[in-house]
Amino acid sequence: MSQPIRKIIHIDMDAFFASVEQRDNPELRGKPVAVGGSRARGVVAAASYEARKYGVHSALASKIAAQRCPHLIFVKARFDVYSAVSRQIREIFFAYTDLVEPLSLDEAYLDVTENKIGMPSATIIANQIRQRIFEETGLTASAGVSYNKFLAKIASDMNKPNGFTLITPDKAEDLVASLDIGKFHGIGKVTAAKMQSMGIITGADLRERSEAELIRNFGKVGSYYYRIARAQDDRDVQPHRIRKSIGSERTFEADIAEEEAMLEHLLYLSKEVAQDMERLKATAKTITLKIKYFDFTLNTRSKTFLSEFSSEDAIYTVARDLLRTPQLPQFPVRLLGISASSLLYQHDRLQEGYQFTLEF
Ligand SMILES: [Mg+2]
């Protein structure tokens, strides 16, 4: 039996950080806004569409941005607000499918081949999602629908802002052939320049090269280029399981009463938590220490910091302080546990403009 054709949606918020600022401050609406940086220093994290007309874009040095657009308004980034909106839109995605792969705070792939509302049309789902995002956040998003990730991503970019594009299988190859090589997701600036020097300007040019030649020039990723030139991409949508906390605990064979023994266990638990955080590419701001006494009474102590951390040392130091504050356990202990929360995942820290370089 052949696989059913997949239905992939790529959702991308429009000028996300800048749009949030314009939403929350009416004085910024209709004006060129740069989030991040200042007139003198720093880098633009996001630019409103009004600013983009002047050639201001994310990752541009603020100084140059101010030269290109003298009346550009710089505002400070409020990442806590952007993360909150990001969580809101992810909740909307999860109403349709659990196969959600976030690329950053404002972008995600969804596989809706099978979905929670039993809706066969990915187009209808994509537009419902855009509608719900607008109703619940007051912000617009663009969506692309196709049968693989590469095409869905290209599609969402075709009618920005507040747009929708469907790329059907019969149209895909011609569309890819006509595309400028710099527009290919996964082909960064450096690679695009190298391709151009080889005479590869469009998708059609890329398609003429053999897989062997592409691998020779670009390494393993050459086979990916060979396939996307043919509108083929079999990468799955990979959901990140969003865990709210990462923890480890241990029940002892015999209750323990000495500080030294407790610290030894905390060291071990810190190592386990740090390893899990490393595996999940997460950092934390909160550490919670769980103490269960010989009589099963439970005590939890936690501390939250302003900055994030992930090292074994940092976790251990906090856990040790929690063990000693307000005072060391006064009764024998049968279980100790450490958990890290207020987690930040690496994919949540990617900012607009950096995704291309990080994709491979
Ligand atoms: Mg975006």
Side-chain angles (χ1 to χ4, degrees), residues 174-322:
D174 286 348
L175 184 108
V176 171
S178 70
L179 217 58
D180 196 276
I181 214 71
K183 287 256 176 201
F184 277 57
H185 181 58
I187 297 182
K189 272 198 192 119
V190 176
T191 307
K194 183 168 173 185
M195 285 190 178
Q196 283 152 1
S197 76
M198 292 165 64
I200 302 172
I201 313 299
T202 64
D205 301 329
L206 182 62
R207 199 186 165 125
E208 281 172 17
R209 307 302 168 109
S210 70
E211 187 170 6
E213 183 188 357
L214 293 174
I215 292 175
R216 201 163 55 240
N217 281 281
F218 302 101
K220 257 202 274 180
V221 71
S223 348
Y224 173 76
Y225 299 154
Y226 180 82
R227 287 196 308 274
I228 58 176
R230 285 154 184 75
Q232 297 163 5
D233 176 12
D234 54 13
R235 291 173 303 156
D236 286 326
V237 170
Q238 294 186 321
H240 301 278
R241 213 149 56 88
I242 308 290
R243 286 169 50 169
K244 295 241 184 320
S245 70
I246 296 172
S248 189
E249 57 182 48
R250 199 154 258 85
T251 304
F252 313 117
E253 280 176 29
D255 299 343
I256 54 176
E258 288 78 38
E259 179 183 12
E260 201 179 332
M262 291 180 204
L263 290 179
E264 209 173 290
H265 287 291
L266 290 187
L267 200 56
Y268 191 81
L269 292 168
S270 301
K271 192 191 202 73
E272 288 189 341
V273 172
Q275 281 169 351
D276 280 350
M277 287 173 68
E278 160 89 41
R279 191 168 48 78
L280 296 165
K281 307 231 178 314
T283 55
K285 287 184 180 175
T286 302
I287 292 293
T288 301
L289 175 69
K290 181 171 162 187
I291 305 167
K292 199 185 266 176
Y293 292 101
F294 72 102
D295 62 351
F296 288 85
T297 51
L298 189 67
N299 177 215
T300 58
R301 305 170 174 182
S302 70
K303 194 166 162 70
T304 297
F305 296 82
L306 286 173
S307 54
E308 23 178 318
F309 50 86
S310 59
S311 77
E312 183 186 329
D313 275 1
I315 296 167
Y316 173 72
T317 306
V318 180
R320 186 192 58 200
D321 291 348
L322 289 169

Side-chain angles (χ1 to χ4, degrees), residues 12-16 49 52 104 106-107 160 352 355:
D12 188 8
M13 300 295 287
D14 301 321
F16 183 49
Y49 283 98
R52 290 180 191 195
S104 62
D106 76 316
E107 246 187 277
K160 263 188 161 298
E352 290 183 335
Q355 292 139 17

Side-chain angles (χ1 to χ4, degrees), residues 66-104:
Q67 282 162 11
R68 289 187 186 172
C69 179
H71 56 301
L72 186 61
I73 305 168
F74 286 92
V75 298
K76 247 184 101 183
R78 296 178 300 152
F79 284 101
D80 50 336
V81 179
Y82 312 145
S83 317
V85 177
S86 183
R87 279 195 297 276
Q88 272 183 296
I89 65 173
R90 275 184 208 166
E91 284 307 314
I92 297 172
F93 302 157
F94 287 131
Y96 294 88
T97 177
D98 288 329
L99 292 177
V100 174
E101 179 182 341
L103 292 175
S104 62

